[in-house]
């Protein structure tokens, strides 16, 4: 006999008709706005070691801490801004995020003391939140397959900025210091705000309908192992708790390899130039840009399988980082890590779109952003501690362990559902 939960899971890829939807061009405009607005946020932090000496920190001792300051305060502010977007309008709060980001960049670019620069980073983190705001805007207008594709595209914007922004900043450095580039790049979120002003405002759902949809969503979120192991023809339903845990584990296991990757490459392959190191760093993100939409087409109806395989690839790739001592070997393990990164990001987007049905999108994506940034902060701290105690190979081995634990946790419900069941005798019931 089919349960209500199974029937509710069937139309996961169908858009709700009472939502206005967005054209493909409008979705691409939102993703493009995030791309240009995140250029300074993602491209300039790697140059903190060059910025801080201009502000009085000659040895750049605060670079590691300041690298995660926007992330910490972004995690604290994201849930609040998400709820405010649901109450006062997603477009309005998205425009607010872009304008505050521009103001923070201007303050950072013209800061003449370390204290002012830190204040600008705090402002960027706690009042920005363009990624969560953009996802909340998309979640209010799209649903199901259309929303998961849009979220996949948004992750592509983030990956593209992560790849290209440091290259552009480095290219401009001979003419303008990275410190002053903050002020120059403030024009990008301002441009994004102008573009976003032309987009429609998704309507807020009536309170009664929202409460009813929330009740349905909460019912859907409670699923048995049998439902989790349904055939691939249906999109599995994930509870919010599981989604948040997977988001944290994914970000932790991938980001932990970032801070000391260049040091590890130099240790294992002496004489490697900065250009080659930069390409190796960017390789997994390039994999996402190339393969994300194809992976979405294959795994949009089976995201749990994709996440399990993705974490397996992450574990294998990170473990390989600790063993390789040649350029060819590093290219291979970076590609394996790229496969895991792509599978994980795409399938998490599918699960997030599934959880967004019947829920206020601003609050949902603000909470997802909180757990994502919390994972990044925890990864940064773990990487620093592991590197100090055991060297640059320690962070990738820690990430391997977390990825393996997540693989087991993801596979356990499916494996348990296939074990033979025996009924207890009525005499044994207690």
């Amino acid at each position: 006999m089919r349960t209500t939960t199974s029937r509710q899971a069937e139309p996961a890829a169908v858009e709700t008709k009472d939502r206005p939807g967005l054209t493909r061009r409008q979705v691409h405009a939102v993703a493009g706005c995030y791309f240009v607005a995140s250029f300074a946020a993602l491209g300039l932090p790697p140059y903190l070691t060059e910025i801080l000496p201009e502000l009085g920190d000659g040895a750049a001792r605060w670079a590691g801490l300041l690298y995660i300051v926007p992330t910490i305060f972004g995690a604290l502010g994201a849930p609040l801004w998400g709820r405010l977007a649901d109450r006062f309008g997603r477009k309005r709060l998205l425009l607010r995020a872009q304008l505050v980001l521009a103001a923070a960049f201007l303050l950072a670019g013209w800061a003449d003391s370390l204290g002012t620069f830190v204040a600008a980073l705090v402002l960027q983190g706690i009042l920005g939140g363009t990624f969560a705001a953009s996802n909340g805007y998309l979640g209010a207008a799209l649903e199901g397959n259309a929303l998961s594709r849009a979220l996949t595209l948004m992750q592509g914007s983030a990956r593209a900025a992560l790849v290209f922004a440091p290259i552009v900043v480095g290219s401009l450095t001979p003419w303008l210091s990275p410190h002053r580039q903050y002020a120059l790049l403030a024009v990008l979120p301002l441009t994004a705000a102008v573009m976003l002003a032309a987009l429609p405002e998704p309507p807020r759902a009536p309170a009664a309908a929202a409460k009813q949809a929330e009740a349905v969503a909460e019912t859907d979120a409670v699923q048995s192992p049998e439902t989790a192991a349904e055939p691939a023809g249906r999109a599995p339903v994930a509870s919010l708790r599981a989604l948040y845990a997977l988001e944290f584990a994914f970000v932790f296991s991938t980001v932990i390899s970032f801070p000391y990757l260049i040091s590890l490459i130099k240790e294992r392959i002496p004489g490697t130039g900065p250009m080659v190191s930069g390409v190796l760093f960017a390789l997994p993100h390039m994999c996402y840009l190339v393969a994300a939409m194809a992976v979405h087409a294959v795994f949009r109806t089976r995201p749990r399988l994709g996440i399990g395989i993705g974490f397996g690839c992450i574990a294998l790739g990170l473990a390989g980082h600790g063993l390789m001592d040649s350029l060819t070997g590093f290219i291979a393990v970076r590609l394996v890590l790229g496969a895991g990164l792509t599978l994980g990001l795409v399938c998490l987007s599918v699960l997030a779109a599934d959880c967004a049905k019947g829920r206020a999108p601003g609050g949902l994506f603000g909470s997802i952003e909180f757990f994502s940034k919390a994972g990044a902060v925890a990864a940064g701290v773990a990487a620093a501690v592991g590197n100090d105690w055991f060297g640059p190979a320690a962070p990738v081995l820690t990430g391997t362990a977390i990825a393996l634990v997540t693989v087991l946790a993801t596979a356990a419900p499916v494996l348990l559902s296939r074990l033979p069941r025996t009924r207890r005798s009525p005499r044994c019931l207690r």
Side-chain angles (χ1 to χ4, degrees), residues 404-428:
L404 285 174
V405 169
T406 310
V407 170
L408 296 175
T410 304
V414 178
L415 296 176
L416 290 174
S417 69
R418 297 185 179 182
L419 291 176
R421 287 183 172 80
T422 58
R423 292 187 177 182
R424 290 184 178 182
S425 169
R427 296 179 182 177
C428 298

Side-chain angles (χ1 to χ4, degrees), residues 3 5 11 25 36 38 49 79 82 96 138 152 195 220 233 239 242 263 280 287 297 305-306 310 343 349 365 410 420:
T3 63
T5 304
R25 182 175 297 179
V36 299
S38 61
T49 51
R96 175 213 60 80
L138 293 171
T152 300
M195 295 171 62
D220 287 349
S239 69
S263 299
L280 288 173
C287 290
L305 174 62
L343 282 162
S349 295
F365 288 107
T410 304

Side-chain angles (χ1 to χ4, degrees), residues 3 9 29 63 119 121 125 159-160 180 186 195 208 214 234 237 240 246 270 299 328 366-367 373 400 404-405:
T3 63
L121 295 182
R159 302 302 119 188
R180 300 307 178 190
M195 295 171 62
E214 181 73 16
R234 298 189 183 97
V237 178
L240 283 180
L246 288 170
F299 288 96
T328 303
S367 297
K373 290 186 180 299
T400 301
L404 285 174
V405 169

Side-chain angles (χ1 to χ4, degrees), residues 31 42 59 76 80 83 95 104 128 138 145 165 175 209 213 220 275-276 336 338 395 400 417 421:
L42 297 177
L76 296 175
L80 171 63
R83 295 189 186 97
L95 287 171
L138 293 171
N145 184 48
W175 295 277
D220 287 349
M275 181 66 178
V276 174
V336 172
T400 301
S417 69
R421 287 183 172 80

Side-chain angles (χ1 to χ4, degrees), residues 67-85:
Y67 193 94
I68 60 173
V69 161
T71 305
I72 293 172
F73 285 94
L76 296 175
L80 171 63
W81 291 117
R83 295 189 186 97
L84 290 177

Side-chain angles (χ1 to χ4, degrees), residues 357-374:
K357 290 186 296 182
R359 290 187 171 91
L364 172 66
F365 288 107
S367 297
I368 292 174
E369 185 74 355
F370 170 83
F371 284 96
S372 174
K373 290 186 180 299

Side-chain angles (χ1 to χ4, degrees), residues 31-40 98 105 157 161 185 188-189 191-192 195:
C33 287
Y34 176 73
F35 172 74
V36 299
S38 61
F39 235 71
Q98 298 284 9
F105 291 163
S157 296
L185 296 180
L188 296 178
T191 304
M195 295 171 62

Side-chain angles (χ1 to χ4, degrees), residues 40-48 51 66 70 101-102 104-110 117 120-121 124 176-187 189:
L42 297 177
L44 285 167
Y47 294 89
L48 283 173
I51 294 173
L66 294 185
L101 197 62
F105 291 163
L106 281 173
L107 181 61
W110 293 112
F117 185 76
L121 295 182
Q124 173 191 331
L176 188 66
S177 71
H179 178 204
R180 300 307 178 190
Q181 285 187 47
Y182 266 107
L184 174 65
L185 296 180
V187 72

